[in-house]
Amino acid sequence: MLILTPMLTITQALYDQIVAHARKDHPDEACGVVAGPAGADRPERFIPMLNAAMSPTFYEFDSGDLLKLYRELDDRDEDPVVIYHSHTATEAYPSRTDISYANEPGAHYVLVSTADTDGLGEFQFRSYRIVDGQVTEEEVKVVQAY
């Protein structure tokens, strides 16, 4: 049985890499994965991916890159602990498309908004669990090290 923790714990270094990728690819959406040891729910290895859609409103992993990634994860006994992408003009909340594409029930789905949609600054960093179409926001705890 899969037990999901209600919080994403991530290092400051990984947090900064995800935000930097989102800013670098702006105005297109950025996307990627942070892998970790299988079953550990601990993000460790940052894997930026190419947005094959090259779009400011949509992201898509290249099918060849995705196949290569899953083979690599399998070979290294890793899971996709975090699946992230950015929103460039809207808040960091999963769209209907994001929800329909969420097929990793054990993953943390991180959204970074590079738009100032809440008046609190130039980006938002939020994490969700998406299981069977149900979206649950979770706390994000940033730590220096595990």
Side-chain angles (χ1 to χ4, degrees), residues 9-14 16 141-146:
T9 301
I10 190 167
T11 64
Q12 185 70 57
L14 288 168
D16 291 345
K141 180 179 179 186
V142 180
V143 297
Q144 288 308 308
Y146 300 123

Side-chain angles (χ1 to χ4, degrees), residues 106-121:
H108 301 270
Y109 286 88
V110 166
L111 278 117
V112 175
S113 174
T114 53
D116 182 2
T117 57
D118 58 7
L120 298 177

Side-chain angles (χ1 to χ4, degrees), residues 129-144:
R129 293 293 191 155
I130 305 174
V131 180
D132 297 328
Q134 294 297 110
V135 177
T136 306
E137 186 164 8
E138 61 185 357
E139 182 182 347
V140 176
K141 180 179 179 186
V142 180
V143 297
Q144 288 308 308

Side-chain angles (χ1 to χ4, degrees), residues 57 82 115:
T57 58
V82 170

